[in-house]
Amino acid sequence: MQKDNNKIINKLAKSDYKYGFYTDIETDRAPKGLTEDTIRFIWEKKKEPDFMLDFRLKAFRHWQKMAEPTWAHVKYKPIDYQDITYYAAPHKKPQYENLDQVDPDLLETFNKLGIPLEEQKQLAGVAVDAVMDSVSVATTYKKSLAEKGIIFSSFSEALQDHPDLVEKYMATVVPYTDNFFAALNSAVFSDGSFVYIPKGVHCPMELSTYFRINAANTGQFERTLIVAEEGSYVSYLEGCTAPMRSENQLHAAIVEIIAHKNAEVKYSTVQNWYPGDKQGSGGVYNFVTKRGICKEKNAKISWTQVETGSAVTWKYPSLILKGDNTTGEFFSVAVTNNMQQADTGTKMIHLGKNSRSTIISKGISAGNSNNSYRGLVKMSGQATNSRNFSQCDSLLLGDKSGAHTFPYIDVANKSSIVEHEATTSKISEDQLFYSLQRGIDMENAIGLIVNGYAKDVLKKLPMEFAVEAQKLLSISLEGSVG
Amino acid sequence: MLSIKNLNVSVEGKPILNGLNLEVKDGEVHAIMGPNGSGKSTLASVIAGRDYFTIEQGEVTYMGKNLLEIPPEVRAKEGIFLGFQYPVEIPGVSMTNFMRTAINEKRKHQGLKPLSGAEFLKLMEEKKKLVKIESKLANRSVNEGFSGGEKKKNEIFQLALLEPKLAVLDETDSGLDIDALKVVANGVNMLKRKDNATILITHYQRLLDYVIPDVVHVLFDGKIVKSGGKELALELEEKGYNWITKET
Ligand SMILES: Nc1ncnc2c1ncn2[C@@H]1O[C@H](COP(=O)(O)OP(=O)(O)OP(=O)(O)O)[C@@H](O)[C@H]1O
Ligand SMILES: [Mg+2]
């Protein structure tokens, strides 16, 4: 038993990050460090409206008074916020109409990632807004979306073209005072995505964005804002991979979603930041604040996430179910391997009557990693007849990894029901041997078992992403075939 | 096909097989009987390549190759099948997915093209009929929630799908009702060819009413102490193992 276990662990530990490379695109960068001047630099570079300078400076001043949170079940070296470059943009930044105009290095990067733009464009109904080094460099399908009044653009463009909409909604779900990393992001964020679906419009295609961190030592601060007007629908996908790094990289994003009456937003992420080497050095720190609000009656938001990357993850996509009869969902698969640490989960804040929420969290820990689920379900006094169901499962590979569950439940009315189920299981020696005996090698066997375990979440992903996510689970767990 | 010479196997320093010899030729059916704890499943596991046993001494040759040097998944792909005494449950992994992976891995090893989804489903249907396994079992996760007998039938179903050269069935007949026993026996008989072989590990001679063995062996204390024809099984059923152990 022991011997086999060690074999599996060693095999898994051999797993190297497959996307370890970075391209050499010239960047236009801010000097290292963070002062009010840095913020003015960013604001000027991006030629933003005046309200943005005010917002950024307020956030910065607030951030200076805050302390980094320490409550998460993760350990990492202190971050020197003065040793980070807060702005880097590709040198040339035109919006490309066709691929011939795109920097060949960039195309090469996408090709290595297995996401050639040509194919992405052809992929039925997927619009790709590729973000590289904080600035959007390629956008497709824009025209057909525009015909329906849908806005799908980089955050910077939205600030130029629709400043009123941005001003109206930005920071209404995640105020800059929310937490340390949210304040930092609000002060220095460089770009991200903006989505606006007008009243009654059903967005005809999946909106998809790939993010990459590319410039050495550049903290990445993305900001995404999605607004779904009354009776509208959108499915939004975000995926990312990052090249191999020697220094830790900070990633502190904000995602805000606003769903009005009868609107539905699906937000799916396949996340694969560089996790660091086998000793755990060099990986990305992913400290993200994601929150949505079901603002009025019958609104629905779901988060689906597949997390395989990052050295340290701190991420709790949450929902405020403010309207009556609103629905919130959280489906998550989080994989940790080698020295990775993840503290992730969700918060469901029920404020409206008859609101419903579902949480399905599947943690998979291998190597020496640590995987924690942290979830809060809160039923306020007004949220009568509301329900939550939570299922939190942990799967352990080997005996050096850890899984932890921290469920917090707070119910302030008598008619609401909160159910919580949790299981912990292990991939057993007998299961692996049974598979080997049928001619299925260790990697395939682990892939089958893990994908079976995560099935309930994977099936929530749009088809083409489900396939990608399955591959990703296999890549991150199975080692590079020894 | 399989030749075992002077096999000595231990686990955690405790000897389990002590100088075991066995010759299995193409086309033969061998039955191995023996008291609980005598080492039957250990022998089966060693043939399949389970690695927590230590091979202290001896040789195992399969189709002219040193079997002990071949990793378990390659043994499987080269035609060795073990019907487990205690088949394990693999929740979340459908039988279809599992067996399709197994078959296509084997085909890859043989330099054949993988079966398409449709071809595989057709093959499943065919084999389901052959072993009279209910459709709903084949649609569930591997052995999950299967009754004891259903698990055994599922082993025969997998045997039928994989068509091994050498099948080692470890008490696949235990816990089966009489109809299921016939199904198992039928499966073995139908898959019998001139170029494959079967080792049946069993406690009951009733299986041997349906599958006629060429040789019956008695395994005792880690070695084969007696071999004979089908009548040996009857004799054992009548007299138990005592008379043999006294003899040796
Ligand atoms: N993994 C193990 N660790 C320790 N002892 C073991 C292990 N596997 C087998 N043994 C021991 O080896 C001996 C032979 O076991 P084995 O399972 O081969 O017997 P068997 O002949 O198949 O018995 P049965 O008829 O009950 O199935 C037993 O004493 C058993 O306890
Ligand atoms: Mg046994």
Side-chain angles (χ1 to χ4, degrees):
Chain A
M1 194 81 186
Q2 191 56 41
K3 198 166 139 198
D4 267 22
N5 265 334
N6 289 339
K7 241 166 85 180
I8 298 165
I9 292 165
N10 290 339
K11 187 138 196 192
L12 291 171
K14 268 195 286 180
S15 154
D16 278 320
Y17 188 73
K18 291 203 173 153
Y19 299 149
F21 51 84
Y22 53 99
T23 46
D24 207 6
I25 294 171
E26 278 181 82
T27 55
D28 180 2
R29 52 175 63 240
K32 269 187 186 176
L34 186 51
T35 62
E36 293 202 359
D37 286 344
T38 322
I39 285 165
R40 285 197 178 85
F41 175 91
I42 295 169
W43 175 76
E44 256 166 46
K45 270 277 170 203
K46 298 178 67 61
K47 303 189 176 67
E48 289 176 344
D50 289 350
F51 78 88
M52 282 304 297
L53 180 62
D54 187 44
F55 174 75
R56 288 177 180 280
L57 286 173
K58 271 196 213 148
F60 175 65
R61 287 167 195 151
H62 189 79
W63 176 75
Q64 284 182 305
K65 287 183 260 160
M66 299 177 93
E68 208 168 319
T70 53
W71 45 263
H73 195 82
V74 295
K75 285 200 195 98
Y76 55 91
K77 270 195 294 200
I79 298 167
D80 181 354
Y81 291 93
Q82 297 305 331
D83 195 37
I84 291 173
T85 305
Y86 286 88
Y87 182 80
H91 209 57
K92 304 157 269 184
K93 42 178 174 174
Q95 299 294 316
Y96 300 105
E97 291 276 314
N98 73 55
L99 287 169
D100 302 343
Q101 301 171 301
V102 176
D103 187 327
D105 274 357
L106 178 59
L107 289 181
E108 183 58 28
T109 305
F110 282 117
N111 282 326
K112 281 187 203 158
L113 282 169
I115 42 165
L117 275 179
E118 293 96 324
E119 266 178 41
Q120 286 299 333
K121 276 177 156 179
Q122 286 156 11
L123 256 178
V126 178
V128 177
D129 176 26
V131 174
M132 174 105 166
D133 251 41
S134 323
V135 171
S136 175
V137 288
T139 303
T140 51
Y141 281 92
K142 238 179 183 164
K143 282 178 194 144
S144 68
L145 292 174
E147 278 163 22
K148 296 200 166 239
I150 294 170
I151 304 168
F152 176 39
S153 71
S154 71
F155 210 98
S156 318
E157 278 178 283
L159 276 169
Q160 303 305 321
D161 302 343
H162 311 280
D164 298 348
L165 273 178
V166 176
E167 192 175 7
K168 180 172 172 192
Y169 287 106
M170 184 184 69
T172 59
V173 194
V174 181
Y176 64 79
T177 50
D178 191 80
N179 68 69
F180 183 83
F181 299 112
L184 180 62
N185 175 292
S186 301
V188 303
F189 77 91
S190 41
D191 213 334
S193 294
F194 178 72
V195 174
Y196 179 82
I197 316 291
K199 188 171 169 179
V201 170
H202 185 107
C203 183
M205 57 188 78
E206 317 269 2
L207 300 182
S208 155
T209 308
Y210 284 89
F211 290 100
R212 277 175 66 73
I213 296 180
N214 199 57
N217 213 12
T218 303
Q220 202 111 64
F221 303 93
E222 308 286 351
R223 189 153 188 133
T224 300
L225 177 58
I226 300 173
V227 180
E229 291 285 10
E230 186 177 330
S232 67
Y233 168 86
V234 64
S235 168
Y236 180 87
L237 316 169
E238 178 206 281
C240 73
T241 57
M244 184 141 356
R245 310 258 34 120
S246 57
E247 280 162 85
N248 286 311
Q249 289 179 301
L250 175 63
H251 181 79
I254 289 180
V255 176
E256 293 180 284
I257 302 178
I258 294 124
H260 288 285
K261 191 172 150 189
N262 296 327
E264 179 174 353
V265 179
K266 276 190 180 167
Y267 183 103
S268 313
T269 328
V270 175
Q271 187 277 118
N272 186 25
W273 299 114
Y274 177 53
D277 63 18
K278 280 151 234 161
Q279 283 70 45
S281 77
V284 168
Y285 293 174
N286 195 25
F287 302 139
V288 181
T289 308
K290 290 187 170 182
R291 193 175 303 146
I293 183 165
C294 290
K295 223 173 163 179
E296 291 125 32
K297 227 164 61 178
N298 299 328
K300 177 175 178 182
I301 298 177
S302 13
W303 299 108
T304 304
Q305 58 171 21
V306 174
E307 301 273 327
T308 62
S310 301
V312 184
T313 302
W314 181 101
K315 180 175 186 181
Y316 316 92
S318 302
L319 290 173
I320 300 166
L321 302 171
K322 184 158 176 269
D324 295 346
N325 306 320
T326 48
T327 306
E329 294 174 331
F330 174 75
F331 304 109
S332 168
V333 177
V335 179
T336 53
N337 193 4
N338 297 318
M339 302 299 283
Q340 279 177 277
Q341 309 172 65
D343 195 300
T344 180
T346 186
K347 289 182 206 164
M348 292 289 176
I349 315 290
H350 291 250
L351 302 176
K353 290 198 256 312
N354 302 317
S355 48
R356 298 275 178 273
S357 65
T358 305
I359 298 171
I360 296 182
S361 161
K362 303 268 181 180
I364 301 167
S365 340
N368 292 291
S369 69
N370 250 308
N371 204 326
S372 304
Y373 169 82
R374 189 182 300 277
L376 168 69
V377 177
K378 189 180 165 76
M379 300 280 181
S380 74
Q382 315 95 277
T384 49
N385 293 312
S386 295
R387 297 192 72 135
N388 161 268
F389 173 75
S390 303
Q391 168 93 44
C392 302
D393 298 327
S394 311
L395 181 68
L396 298 169
L397 278 79
D399 48 18
K400 291 192 188 130
S401 57
H404 317 270
T405 306
F406 306 99
Y408 305 95
I409 294 170
D410 176 1
V411 182
N413 74 70
K414 286 204 175 103
S415 57
S416 292
I417 300 173
V418 175
E419 288 174 88
H420 180 90
E421 288 176 10
T423 65
T424 301
S425 49
K426 246 182 148 160
I427 294 188
S428 75
E429 234 31 71
D430 288 344
Q431 289 171 330
L432 290 175
F433 186 70
Y434 193 83
S435 310
L436 290 176
Q437 211 303 302
R438 298 303 185 242
I440 301 171
D441 65 25
M442 190 76 87
E443 299 197 356
N444 268 318
I446 290 175
L448 279 173
I449 295 170
V450 163
N451 279 302
Y453 166 81
K455 194 163 57 185
D456 288 348
V457 173
L458 296 180
K459 73 183 182 203
K460 300 288 177 188
L461 288 171
M463 201 38 197
E464 62 273 25
F465 272 65
V467 173
E468 193 173 302
Q470 270 185 24
K471 275 196 217 137
L472 209 66
L473 289 189
S474 302
I475 288 174
S476 46
L477 281 170
E478 291 171 6
S480 41
V481 193
Chain B
M1 169 166 315
L2 181 74
S3 165
I4 301 178
K5 294 211 174 83
N6 189 30
L7 183 63
N8 287 265
V9 170
S10 69
V11 64
E12 286 155 11
K14 177 188 156 197
I16 298 176
L17 298 182
N18 310 298
L20 184 139
N21 295 296
L22 182 67
E23 287 289 331
V24 179
K25 298 205 175 65
D26 287 10
E28 289 183 340
V29 175
H30 288 236
I32 296 180
M33 305 181 79
N36 295 133
S38 57
K40 301 182 297 297
S41 295
T42 303
L43 173 63
S45 300
V46 169
I47 294 172
R50 186 107 205 204
D51 73 350
Y52 56 60
F53 297 102
T54 312
I55 314 288
E56 305 284 355
Q57 242 196 83
E59 281 172 31
V60 182
T61 317
Y62 169 69
M63 316 247 297
K65 288 183 199 157
N66 177 1
L67 187 66
L68 301 175
E69 282 177 350
I70 304 176
E73 69 275 22
V74 179
R75 297 184 195 192
K77 287 187 261 202
E78 301 215 329
I80 290 181
F81 179 90
L82 172 60
F84 286 80
Q85 185 174 1
Y86 305 108
V88 67
E89 303 192 1
I90 312 183
V93 180
S94 70
M95 272 303 293
T96 315
N97 221 347
F98 187 73
M99 287 315 292
R100 189 174 165 198
T101 309
I103 283 184
N104 283 338
E105 285 295 305
K106 186 169 178 177
R107 291 178 66 91
K108 191 157 86 190
H109 187 75
Q110 295 167 329
L112 298 171
K113 272 202 316 215
L115 291 184
S116 70
E119 285 166 329
F120 177 73
L121 289 177
K122 206 176 133 230
L123 183 69
M124 282 252 289
E125 284 311 312
E126 209 177 283
K127 302 297 181 178
K128 263 193 236 169
K129 282 201 200 101
L130 187 76
V131 302
K132 301 203 172 71
I133 191 167
E134 283 175 68
S135 266
K136 64 173 202 297
L137 287 184
N139 295 336
R140 277 159 55 179
S141 292
V142 179
N143 294 322
E144 195 186 21
F146 286 27
S147 76
E150 287 169 343
K151 283 181 183 164
K152 296 298 175 81
K153 269 198 189 172
N154 194 24
E155 295 293 287
I156 295 298
F157 177 52
Q158 296 177 50
L159 171 85
L161 278 166
L162 289 165
E163 298 187 335
K165 276 196 95 58
L166 175 66
V168 183
L169 303 181
D170 192 356
E171 295 198 28
T172 305
D173 58 328
S174 293
L176 291 183
D177 61 42
I178 193 72
D179 292 335
L181 182 72
K182 280 185 196 157
V183 166
V184 167
N186 236 333
V188 174
N189 285 330
M190 271 190 288
L191 295 164
K192 193 171 161 171
R193 289 197 317 247
K194 277 211 286 296
D195 61 344
N196 62 16
T198 308
I199 298 174
L200 296 171
I201 295 172
T202 181
H203 284 296
Y204 306 104
Q205 103 64 45
R206 62 171 193 168
L207 174 67
L208 308 178
D209 285 341
Y210 301 101
V211 186
I212 313 297
D214 297 292
V215 197
V216 176
H217 307 275
V218 180
L219 184 63
F220 181 77
D221 212 5
K223 54 175 165 290
I224 286 172
V225 293
K226 197 171 177 70
S227 302
K230 182 179 153 18
E231 43 329 313
L232 180 56
L234 284 166
E235 215 174 337
L236 284 170
E237 184 125 304
E238 217 172 283
K239 304 193 201 163
Y241 291 106
N242 268 344
W243 64 281
I244 291 179
T245 57
K246 269 184 211 130
E247 249 175 47
T248 49

